[in-house]
Amino acid sequence: MSKILKFTQFSFRDLIVAAAPTVLTIVGICLLAYWLVDPAPPRTVRLGTGQENSAYEDFGKKYAAALAKHGVKVTLVQSAGSSENLRNLKEGKVDIAFVQSGSTNEEAAEREGLSSLGSLFVEPLWLFLREDKGQPPITQLTQLRGKKVNYGAKGAGSPRLFRQVLELNGVEKDEVQRFSLANTPATVELLEGRIDGLVFTSAPEAPLIQMLLQTPGIRLFDFNQAEAYSRKLPFLTHVVLPQGIVDLGRNIPSEDYNLIAPTATLVARDDLHSALVDLFVQAAATIHGGAGWFQQQGQFPSAKYTEIPVDPEAAKYYKSGPPFLQRYMTFWLANFFDRMWVLVVALGALILPLSKVIPPLYVWRIRSRVYKWYGQLRAVEQRVEEAPAATRMQVYEEQLKRLDEIEELVNQVSIPLSFADGLYGLRSHIQFVRKRILFLMGEGSPAGVEAVPV
């Protein structure tokens, strides 16, 4: 009969098994905190743009291309313009949109849960008029009385702004025949002579603006009182369209034009993920950061020129530039490490208390290899004590064989040396039960049996 006992200095397997529940619990709680406390940014976002052939639509496509490089899909949602974009933001139909300054105020924006990601560019109020032969050119807005003018589609920013401008000139709303066509059909109506003028608020990059500036018989209105307008309506700025800026060779325009201009602002809902805010602001710096007809290099995007409170993440960008990790890593990798602080906090809160559970579990697992045999040993004693007189000797012999089997299995138990005393105690108790059975069979004496404490 083999009496070789298997001992080890330390049981890594038992430690791993003992620690597994705690480790899995910690990992599970950390992952839950990681996704609930600071969820990953979504892979899709809805951007409110503008009408067909508008600057908003053109810039929206550029933002979609910029964010697509980082694996974020931008769905462009067309609208009539600034006012409709603002309404869509409030109703949750879009996540972010182009909004014209002057469309709302700080109190209303905070109440609706909106924040600005910065102003992007100036979008002048363009008033294009037909040149009628034999008629003096229109130099004052009071001369628009009785004229047919397209203010812009309902939901655009230009109707509201142009009404304010006319009111400053004392022109009542019923004194001008108002039309509310979209930009493209309104341009057709102007060229066909069915209306006398049309109003845009748009960046000069808009295709319709470029076309109308070069169309014979169409004249741009000169706001020669632009500085006064900017004082009356603080969200407006005075900008100048320089002579020859459209085409130097043909000297278009042939003179400087004074214009009044609100600024286009990128407005987002407060629940837009902060990582996406960073992406949009970085894209804005690339798209709008260059010099233009009305801006200097680096003037836009900016935290200025907006009445809507600037998002803290956007303000941080304008102050310090892009996040440190995003300067050297891909967006998603940088975002992952940036969110790791959640795991650090969760680990700090869980590791210390839960780690105290591991040593007792480890000890219990090792000792259970010994203790489980005491149940078998006690079963042997019970059968001996309850053996009927007629079959008593047969029962004694069967239980002696059972003890040999138990001892053989116990000798194969692998146990660390620090717990060897328990294994030796078990072997002593097996021997004690064996002597007792032999005594009962008449092969020993009570005096020869030395009790081994259990």
Side-chain angles (χ1 to χ4, degrees):
M1 184 180 300
S2 173
K3 299 294 182 182
I4 299 177
L5 299 179
K6 297 180 181 180
F7 294 107
T8 59
Q9 292 292 333
F10 187 79
S11 177
F12 286 101
R13 180 175 177 274
D14 288 301
L15 179 63
I16 291 173
V17 173
T22 301
V23 171
L24 291 175
T25 301
I26 292 175
V27 170
I29 294 176
C30 286
L31 289 176
L32 186 62
Y34 185 75
W35 291 111
L36 293 182
V37 177
D38 191 10
R43 297 251 177 195
T44 60
V45 62
R46 298 163 298 174
L47 171 62
T49 57
Q51 300 178 46
E52 186 180 3
N53 295 320
S54 67
Y56 285 175
E57 182 188 50
D58 183 56
F59 284 128
K61 293 175 181 178
K62 293 181 179 179
Y63 277 94
L67 268 69
K69 296 177 181 178
H70 300 285
V72 178
K73 180 183 178 182
V74 177
T75 301
L76 303 181
V77 180
Q78 285 192 342
S79 71
S82 178
S83 297
E84 186 175 348
N85 280 344
L86 191 60
R87 184 168 63 251
N88 289 340
L89 280 167
K90 295 175 181 178
E91 295 175 357
K93 294 179 180 179
V94 295
D95 306 299
I96 187 169
F98 297 108
V99 175
Q100 188 181 99
S101 63
S103 299
T104 184
N105 55 54
E106 182 176 351
E107 293 76 16
E110 290 180 343
R111 186 170 59 252
E112 299 293 342
L114 304 178
S115 60
S116 169
L117 304 194
S119 52
L120 307 176
F121 52 89
V122 294
E123 44 179 356
L125 181 68
W126 308 87
L127 173 57
F128 289 99
L129 301 166
R130 286 186 57 82
E131 291 183 324
D132 294 328
K133 294 180 180 180
Q135 297 291 331
I138 294 177
T139 58
Q140 298 293 325
L141 292 181
T142 53
Q143 295 174 260
L144 292 178
R145 289 187 174 100
K147 300 292 184 180
K148 301 176 181 178
V149 179
N150 187 76
Y151 285 38
K154 293 181 179 178
S158 55
R160 180 175 182 270
L161 176 58
F162 193 57
R163 285 198 306 271
Q164 290 176 288
V165 170
L166 289 178
E167 287 172 3
L168 290 176
N169 286 271
V171 179
E172 300 296 333
K173 61 181 181 179
D174 57 352
E175 292 183 299
V176 178
Q177 296 184 51
R178 173 180 172 175
F179 289 77
S180 300
L181 301 173
N183 292 343
T184 300
T187 301
V188 174
E189 293 295 295
L190 179 66
L191 297 177
E192 293 293 330
R194 287 188 284 270
I195 60 175
D196 301 305
L198 61 82
V199 176
F200 287 105
T201 48
S202 175
E205 290 86 353
L208 291 177
I209 299 293
Q210 295 283 332
M211 183 196 73
L212 289 171
L213 286 172
Q214 303 178 62
T215 301
I218 302 298
R219 181 176 178 83
L220 178 64
F221 180 80
D222 183 10
F223 287 87
N224 49 29
Q225 298 171 307
E227 194 62 35
Y229 284 112
S230 67
R231 305 292 176 86
K232 293 282 188 177
L233 301 174
F235 58 87
L236 295 178
T237 56
H238 173 198
V239 296
V240 177
L241 183 69
Q243 178 180 344
I245 189 68
V246 178
D247 191 322
L248 285 170
R250 292 186 293 163
N251 194 31
I252 301 175
S254 59
E255 59 184 273
D256 289 350
Y257 281 86
N258 296 289
L259 301 174
I260 53 176
T263 56
T265 306
L266 203 55
V267 178
R269 292 172 57 84
D270 283 344
D271 56 6
L272 183 67
H273 197 285
S274 59
L276 291 182
V277 170
D278 284 334
L279 273 187
F280 269 100
V281 177
Q282 291 177 52
T286 301
I287 296 169
H288 307 289
W293 286 12
F294 305 112
Q295 66 194 56
Q296 298 176 345
Q297 180 81 24
Q299 182 179 353
F300 291 102
S302 171
K304 303 176 182 178
Y305 318 115
T306 173
E307 68 275 20
I308 302 175
V310 178
D311 183 274
E313 288 296 323
K316 188 188 302 182
Y317 176 89
Y318 294 123
K319 182 178 180 180
S320 309
F324 176 77
L325 292 178
Q326 290 190 29
R327 300 174 191 176
Y328 308 101
M329 300 179 182
T330 63
F331 167 71
W332 292 103
L333 186 61
N335 178 258
F336 172 78
F337 283 110
D338 190 50
R339 295 163 58 219
M340 284 294 288
W341 69 269
V342 179
L343 288 181
V344 173
V345 172
L347 285 173
L350 294 172
I351 285 181
L352 185 60
L354 290 181
S355 63
K356 294 181 179 180
V357 178
I358 297 177
L361 285 177
Y362 175 76
V363 171
W364 173 84
R365 180 172 174 79
I366 298 297
R367 293 195 180 278
S368 66
R369 296 181 189 173
V370 175
Y371 295 155
K372 71 178 182 179
W373 293 107
Y374 279 99
Q376 300 289 334
L377 201 58
R378 182 54 184 160
V380 170
E381 285 188 305
Q382 286 181 339
R383 291 186 181 179
V384 169
E385 292 170 357
E386 297 171 359
T391 59
R392 186 171 298 167
M393 294 304 294
Q394 181 181 351
V395 172
Y396 291 165
E397 290 176 358
E398 289 175 354
Q399 296 313 305
L400 284 174
K401 291 180 180 179
R402 178 57 183 153
L403 282 176
D404 290 341
E405 294 173 358
I406 292 174
E407 187 173 30
E408 181 67 26
L409 293 172
V410 168
N411 288 336
Q412 297 177 18
V413 173
S414 176
I415 198 168
L417 289 174
S418 56
F419 297 92
D421 58 337
L423 189 60
Y424 277 108
L426 174 61
R427 295 181 65 228
S428 298
H429 295 152
I430 293 173
Q431 185 63 22
F432 172 78
V433 174
R434 180 182 285 110
K435 287 184 178 181
R436 184 182 176 196
I437 295 175
L438 291 174
F439 170 75
L440 294 174
M441 295 177 67
E443 297 185 14
S445 63
V449 178
E450 183 179 353
V452 180
V454 179

